[in-house]
Amino acid sequence: MQRFQFYNPRSVEDALNFLAEKGERSKIIAGGTDLIPGLRLEEIRPDFVLNIPEINPFRGIKEMDHSFWIGPTTTFTEMVESNLLSRSFPALVQSAASVGGPQIRNRGTIGGNIANASPAADVLPALLAHGGELELQSKRNGKRIIPLAEAILSPYKTCFRSDEILTGIILKKLELGTRSAFEKLGRRKAMARARMNLTLLLRLNHREEVSELRIVPGAVMPVAKRMDRTERMLLGKKPEPLLIEAASKTLAEEMVEVTGARWSTEYKIPVLKNIFKRMMKQLLIV
Amino acid sequence: MKKRGIGIGCMYYGMGYGFSRPDVSAAEVEICEDGSIIVRSGEVDYGQGSDTIFCQMVAEELGIRYDTIQLITADTFATPNAGPTSASRLTYVTGNAMVKASRAIKKTLQSVAEEILGERDLLFLDEEIFSESHPERRISFRQLAKEGHLRGLPMVETAWHDITTKDVNPETGQGDAYSTYAYAAQLAEVAVDTETGEVEVLRIVAAADVGKAINPSNVEGQIEGGVAMGLGYALTEEIKEEGGYLKTRNLGEYMIPTSMDVPPIDPHIVEVPVSSGPYGAKGVGEPALIPTAPAILNAIANAIGVRVTELPANLENLHRLIREKERD
């Protein structure tokens, strides 16, 4: 194991001061499930490692008037066990439950999943579908809030500045009647990197037309994103089987536009279409 | 859509090395003055449980508790050669050496006990040696061991067991290549997701003819472990190589099944004693693994009518076959 200095800040202020000075040579550790392997493989060589899980204001799940706030060092297990989240964002909770195995879920955190920005992150697509926003803080600039959709620039790269800490994740409450679903496809039932995952959010109006739809596939593109074109195809229309079939084709096209044709495309195209159609069917039965 | 299917896999397997390749194993049993036992053998227990069953065998022969035996194994400095732990051979080959060495030393003990007790119909049972017709004439194993040492008798015996067979006819390939064979059959029930290529194994029923189960729960453990390995072999495990370099470098990439992937396993022990094995026993290591993949692949064929001819039957490979079938 390489050498570095391990710093245990006593407060948010302490952590921000530390990063203001040494941010460029530091890495922040929360659960460590991504950072430790990176250190061991010497993919990263920080001089300082800043340990944040013991800072209390970074933990927990709170309900506000119009939104929920999730502390960045909230573990996946805490998300899975949260009644608040299970009631309000079942698809997000399902995505947290699909992470690794019990040991990983006990250590790994929502903030870490975002900051690591892996293309195969399990929770990111669900957060994107829920319109997640990130609260970032630094000594120099104070607080700023940005949409998660703008935070991830490329695989493993975020727009976070070196003196900034992710201090909270904000999810707006969903409108009544919003249905959601999450599915992960892996090579085995636990400890599996996602081969593909898909989060859907759907709301119908009183005429049974699609009034809201969010589609976010994960692990199939370098950076997960909402599939706008497919969403627009269905908006304002009745989700008839023929239209869903057509939408599934557009969805696959949107994916290929981003990734180009690769060895795995011949698998991903039909399977993404199949999973989309299957999940739409499930959501429409409800 | 999820489609279910059932498949069968059967196998027979030659015990040990066969084809005239040397297949020998040694064991040494020593009785100490205090009646405790030291067994030495080059055998390696890497988790399959051979240490336990060898103690059971020596204990069975000498009528003592198996936890009084100290086993020294796998040390080329201290133990006689037992050959590798491979070819499902330890129970069958080293087991025979254990029994032979125990019986040799028992003969010496028997002669001392006959002299002391004045009887010949002696039983070795529960740490005692006594006459069947006059059970009041008895001596503890511990005392008998001491008497043996006092008389200066050989209290250590080494046995060598050889199952090397003749080779088959090099021109016709005919002959009996192995000392004996093991037999096993398994049933697999699977659910195949035709939309993703995902295979879920729902249940495995596994029967193995082990001749004689020296330790039944040990045999069940071997069968369950073998099935788990066979499952990975069939569905997920893959070594990728590119230009001579290994691309699969760790267990994050080499997908062995987790406990969540292993289905309920129903092990059945079949006992058809083989005269050449210790107490009729033969090996179960590989026989527990070999039928699993064919049973799963047959179950997949039964479910969706697609024949897998290349392993692993993972998401991409199986879905490609499903698409090809749909095209036809």
Side-chain angles (χ1 to χ4, degrees), chain A residues 31-75:
Chain A
T33 54
D34 289 312
L35 193 77
I36 298 290
L39 287 170
R40 283 212 173 272
L41 294 172
E42 309 209 338
E43 286 165 355
I44 41 171
R45 307 186 124 274
D47 295 324
F48 305 96
V49 171
L50 185 72
N51 185 44
I52 59 165
E54 279 153 48
I55 300 177
N56 270 330
F58 286 167
R59 283 198 104 94
I61 297 158
K62 283 179 228 157
E63 184 171 4
M64 329 281 243
D65 287 343
H66 304 290
S67 62
F68 283 87
W69 179 91
I70 306 175
T73 62
T74 304
T75 64

Side-chain angles (χ1 to χ4, degrees), chain B residues 7-132:
Chain B
I8 305 177
C10 302
M11 71 109 232
Y12 77 103
Y13 178 84
M15 283 283 107
Y17 301 133
F19 294 98
S20 82
R21 291 172 289 209
D23 196 339
V24 291
S25 208
E28 198 170 75
V29 177
E30 179 174 359
I31 299 179
C32 305
E33 276 189 79
D34 64 355
S36 66
I37 313 266
I38 299 172
V39 175
R40 293 183 200 83
S41 174
E43 64 98 6
V44 179
D45 186 339
Y46 43 40
Q48 80 276 25
S50 55
D51 283 0
T52 307
I53 65 162
F54 292 149
C55 288
Q56 281 181 262
M57 288 176 177
V58 175
E60 175 77 16
E61 290 303 320
L62 299 177
I64 52 167
R65 293 206 330 261
Y66 81 97
D67 56 6
T68 62
I69 297 166
Q70 189 194 343
L71 199 63
I72 299 171
T73 66
D75 180 347
T76 51
F77 183 68
T79 59
N81 185 16
T85 298
S86 63
S88 306
R89 64 185 279 281
L90 277 195
T91 302
Y92 184 63
V93 192
T94 313
N96 265 318
M98 293 283 169
V99 171
K100 273 191 194 169
S102 304
R103 285 182 185 165
I105 210 157
K106 187 179 176 182
K107 226 180 211 169
T108 309
L109 289 174
Q110 168 99 19
S111 67
V112 178
E114 282 175 9
E115 181 200 319
I116 294 170
L117 301 175
E119 298 287 345
R120 303 200 65 180
D121 58 341
L122 298 180
L123 290 175
F124 285 60
L125 214 63
D126 294 337
E127 315 264 317
E128 285 195 301
I129 293 87
F130 57 91
S131 156
E132 206 174 359

